[in-house]
Amino acid sequence: MKKSRITGVGHYVPDQIITNEYLSTIIDTNNEWIIERTGIEERRWFTPGKDTVTSMSLAASTLAIKRAGIANKDIDFIVFATITPDYFVPGNGVLLQRELGIQGVPALDVRNACSGFIYALSVADQFIKTGMYKTILVVGAEIQSSALDKSDAGRSSAVIFADGAGAAILQAVDQDQPGILSSHLHADGDFAEELYLKDPGSSREVRLSPEIVDNPSFKMYMNGNTVFKHAVVRFNEVILEALEANGKNKAEIDLLVPHQANLRISNYIQQKMGLPDEKVFNNIMKLGNTTAGTIPIALSEAWEQGRLKEGDLVCLAAFGSGFTWASALLTW
Ligand code: UT7
């Protein structure tokens, strides 16, 4: 049986920088609160008419393809994690496929929010292990800023969420090579409405009406406290699950790449794992929370900064809407 290895990573973030100072001019918030409660100093929001989920993911994928030393035509499957596709239907995988000029290659969309990239990576890993595909493009990309409630009522999520795209090339390698050791996926639908975007849902007579457009149900809702409390427990559990499954201990982790939800969550996990700063990668300070984008963007930045070396033990972990949570342990 083959193993899968990440052979190239890339990312793209929009050039529009949204500072805390700017946010405090449109909603009732301030720089001190945002930094103290979230760690975020600034984030990127897309420029309408310039950036799309497709254009951002194309830029990220093109970089990942180049760094993997392959060509677009070598890709035999696309797994695309996003909850903010350019169209309601079809999904974003086919739009990226068209731009890559690889018509005919299958494309699958994954809608698991903040855990989306790890779910997508796990799906891709299974296809490689069965021998069905050899080279898979796995993407996480979002435009969250257009679905945020930018009124005072939505301020706790409006200051967190942001836009960006990351991509990874996963390739089949022999068992003795570095690669994905295991992935661990979980969900609990009891908490679906604690972090959700209700409309335009399909289960009403008219999917889009002026009432729905004017209603907060058209914007992201998050019960931040509840999400936070579950996140810290689940992150810890799912990281330990991955270590245990592979007979590894916390101290063996070379780089932990947590989903960038809130710097306080990352710091709490770091402390629980007893890891020094250099073994945890955070970029939420500059990029905010890009949902499915955070982990592949972080991997690409970590690689660029020389923080991912061949053979390093890397742990990815995420928690978010669903609730869903997931981890993956791999050697780089
Ligand atoms: O990525 C998907 C998963 N998402 C997460 O994991 C996010 C988890 N949750 C969080 O990160 C945090 O709960 C938030 C950052 C969203 C909120 O932080 P918090 O420390 O939980 O604040 P809170 O909701 O308990 O609110 C504390 C106070 C409230 O005021 P009162 O009632 O004490 O007067 C809020 O109204 O802070 C107020 N507040 C704000 N003040 C200034 C909430 N948002 C803001 C804001 N600026 N943006």
Side-chain angles (χ1 to χ4, degrees), residues 27-30 33-34 36-38 113-115 152 154-161 195 222-229 231-232 235 259-265 289-291 294 319-321 323:
I27 47 180
D28 180 14
T29 189
N30 57 76
W33 190 96
I34 301 173
E36 190 194 315
R37 300 295 181 119
T38 73
C114 300
S115 308
D152 292 351
R155 63 182 178 172
S156 65
S157 7
V159 301
I160 289 183
F161 291 105
L195 173 47
M222 176 165 73
N223 179 348
N225 274 208
T226 302
V227 176
F228 194 106
K229 283 176 194 150
V232 289
F235 264 110
H259 164 59
Q260 301 291 293
N262 183 322
L263 193 58
R264 279 157 60 211
I265 296 180
N289 176 349
T290 55
T291 314
T294 73
F319 178 89
S321 173
F323 292 150

Side-chain angles (χ1 to χ4, degrees), residues 224-244:
N225 274 208
T226 302
V227 176
F228 194 106
K229 283 176 194 150
H230 284 261
V232 289
V233 174
R234 297 308 193 185
F235 264 110
N236 193 48
E237 272 176 17
V238 83
I239 294 169
L240 293 179
E241 182 183 355
L243 290 171
E244 197 178 318

Side-chain angles (χ1 to χ4, degrees), residues 55-110:
S55 73
M56 296 194 308
S57 60
L58 177 64
S61 302
T62 302
L63 202 52
I65 289 164
K66 188 172 163 233
R67 288 170 174 172
I70 61 163
N72 296 7
K73 64 173 175 39
D74 297 323
I75 294 165
D76 38 31
F77 189 34
I78 296 172
V79 189
F80 199 121
T82 185
I83 52 166
T84 56
D86 286 330
Y87 299 145
F88 201 81
V89 171
N92 232 100
V94 296
L95 303 179
L96 176 61
Q97 180 241 50
R98 178 171 66 188
E99 294 304 313
L100 289 168
I102 48 173
Q103 283 78 349
V105 168
L108 173 75
D109 271 43
V110 169

Side-chain angles (χ1 to χ4, degrees), residues 18-43 45 155-161 261-264 284-285 288:
I18 303 294
T19 61
N20 294 344
E21 285 74 18
Y22 168 74
L23 286 179
S24 60
T25 66
I26 56 167
I27 47 180
D28 180 14
T29 189
N30 57 76
N31 184 45
E32 294 66 38
W33 190 96
I34 301 173
I35 290 190
E36 190 194 315
R37 300 295 181 119
T38 73
I40 301 170
E41 296 158 19
E42 59 188 43
R43 74 286 291 137
W45 284 0
R155 63 182 178 172
S156 65
S157 7
V159 301
I160 289 183
F161 291 105
N262 183 322
L263 193 58
R264 279 157 60 211
I284 190 169
M285 303 77 84

